[in-house]
Amino acid sequence: MSANLKLGKYYGTEIQLHWTFFLLTVWIVLSEVLSGASVDRVLFNLQFVLAVMICVLLHEMGHLLAARKFGIKTTKMVLLPVGGISTVDKTTESPKEELLITLAGPLVNIIIAGILFFAIPVSDYIGYNFLEYFTLLNEFSFKNFLFFLFIVNITLAVFNLIPAFPLDGGRILRAVLDFKFSRVTATRIATTISHVIAIFLLLTGLLFNPILLFLSLFLLIGSFSENQVVHQIDLLKGYLVRDAMLKNITVFDPKETMEDVIRVILRGSETNFVVVKNKKIVGLLYHKDIIENSNKRSLLVQEVMTTNFKTMETKEELSVAYRLMQEETHPFFPVTEKNELVGAIDFDNLHEFLLMEDRLKY
Ligand SMILES: [Zn+2]
């Protein structure tokens, strides 16, 4: 289950608002109310959070439109107060495409900042002393609102251009290195640079500001998983779903009972099952649902199975399957060949396949 708010679908892209946005909103309202702020001030701040959200959305739209130009579909987009995370159906291996797709996001913020720079104009805010600034910026005018938005867009652009994974800057660095080195080497160098930056932030955070500690942790985790993903996708290159699928799988009829299912589970090592009727796949039985209903032995398979599922074909690339599985709550897919069920693929099996390949290649 996800605590994110689903905003809707746009051309097949699911747009979600990360829960930290609510945390930010609640925190702002609470701290304002506790300090005795006026209604105007609270409203001003809430509208501002909304405006920041729109700027993050536009940043991600920049990535989305650039990716679409290269035939890459964005399946999911999560908006965070510091930027967004987009999930694409396949990654590009071309450094030029990666460079353009990644640059498109911060570029949107730079364009918004540029428009605001002249529209406000920002030059009105130059040449004050600290006290004058304080009085000026404490006014809830539309002009100040736009000025803060200008600062936010500059910050979004600069922050996302820090050359560390998982930020845009890290990808830009990798793409640039990719022109000269292999993708695995480029990722490894970019990951090392990300770690150096994260450790620098960690030390500065310990000395000065705890917020930097969180940022450092975010970069460390992000860069570790990026390196891991690229390494694993490289291992899977050249393989098809056929090579890693489970071939001897037990299938059930929708009319069979939970009693039958439990007997099979206890006898072997299978945990998820495909449900077939007249040679057609009609549903999937997930381990979690079987356990949940294990006390109702007379329940029929069709009452427990999930009917909303994806299938894979034997000739699909294994690296694509791997990415898809990372997205799923139940990483288990039936595999078909010429529309007929021939096996299944799950994450455990794929993981085992990866472990063996790792020994072979490195
Ligand atoms: Zn971005």
Side-chain angles (χ1 to χ4, degrees), residues 59-60 63 106 160 168:
H59 171 114
E60 287 310 301
H63 291 308
N160 280 291
D168 291 338

Side-chain angles (χ1 to χ4, degrees), residues 245-262:
M245 71 179 189
L246 303 153
K247 289 180 188 104
N248 295 318
I249 57 163
T250 312
V251 294
F252 285 102
D253 184 272
K255 293 280 185 243
E256 281 182 274
T257 61
M258 290 311 287
E259 177 83 52
D260 304 318
V261 179
I262 288 160

Side-chain angles (χ1 to χ4, degrees), residues 43-287:
L43 280 178
F44 183 90
N45 282 321
L46 284 180
Q47 283 163 349
F48 193 67
V49 172
L50 186 71
V52 171
M53 197 191 92
I54 292 170
C55 289
V56 172
L57 178 69
L58 291 173
H59 171 114
E60 287 310 301
M61 282 294 178
H63 291 308
L64 183 145
L65 291 175
R68 193 185 289 166
K69 247 199 140 31
F70 298 114
I72 298 167
K73 227 181 83 188
T74 308
T75 47
K76 198 166 92 183
M77 187 189 276
V78 183
L79 308 175
L80 282 98
V82 291
I85 300 169
S86 285
T87 313
V88 288
D89 64 341
K90 59 178 185 203
T91 43
T92 169
E93 297 265 310
S94 140
K96 194 184 134 214
E97 287 180 10
E98 179 168 44
L99 191 63
L100 293 175
I101 294 169
T102 317
L103 276 173
L107 188 68
V108 169
N109 297 114
I110 292 170
I111 292 171
I112 298 174
I115 294 170
L116 290 173
F117 184 88
F118 293 106
I120 301 172
V122 172
S123 55
D124 286 2
Y125 287 84
I126 294 167
Y128 292 99
N129 66 35
F130 182 74
L131 200 69
E132 286 167 333
Y133 260 123
F134 191 76
T135 334
L136 178 71
L137 295 179
N138 242 325
E139 226 176 87
F140 305 118
S141 63
F142 184 56
K143 192 168 172 173
N144 273 351
F145 187 89
L146 294 181
F147 180 67
F148 290 137
L149 211 53
F150 167 77
I151 303 282
V152 162
N153 277 284
I154 295 281
T155 313
L156 277 174
V158 171
F159 173 73
N160 280 291
L161 286 172
I162 295 175
F165 285 127
L167 302 173
D168 291 338
R171 286 173 199 286
I172 292 169
L173 177 66
R174 192 241 314 266
V176 171
L177 290 166
D178 211 354
F179 282 109
K180 206 167 156 43
F181 306 98
S182 79
R183 192 169 174 84
V184 175
T185 312
T187 307
R188 204 170 291 152
I189 300 173
T191 307
T192 309
I193 295 174
S194 304
H195 286 162
V196 172
I197 293 175
I199 288 162
F200 171 76
L201 285 176
L202 186 83
L203 294 176
T204 342
L206 282 174
L207 291 173
F208 305 107
N209 194 335
I211 291 177
L212 293 177
L213 289 179
F214 286 107
L215 195 59
S216 143
L217 203 66
F218 175 64
L219 296 186
L220 278 174
I221 294 170
S223 59
F224 176 76
S225 65
E226 179 66 29
N227 196 25
Q228 193 83 346
V229 168
V230 169
H231 175 69
Q232 293 179 335
I233 285 181
D234 189 62
L235 287 175
L236 296 177
K237 218 174 268 173
Y239 289 106
L240 302 177
V241 166
R242 177 188 295 126
D243 303 314
M245 71 179 189
L246 303 153
K247 289 180 188 104
N248 295 318
I249 57 163
T250 312
V251 294
F252 285 102
D253 184 272
K255 293 280 185 243
E256 281 182 274
T257 61
M258 290 311 287
E259 177 83 52
D260 304 318
V261 179
I262 288 160
R263 205 178 305 131
V264 172
I265 284 205
L266 295 176
R267 200 180 56 201
S269 58
E270 288 174 87
T271 47
N272 299 295
F273 302 92
V274 185
V275 185
V276 178
K277 189 183 176 183
N278 301 331
K279 287 191 168 182
K280 261 194 72 183
I281 307 167
V282 290
L284 296 185
L285 266 182
Y286 291 127
H287 189 242

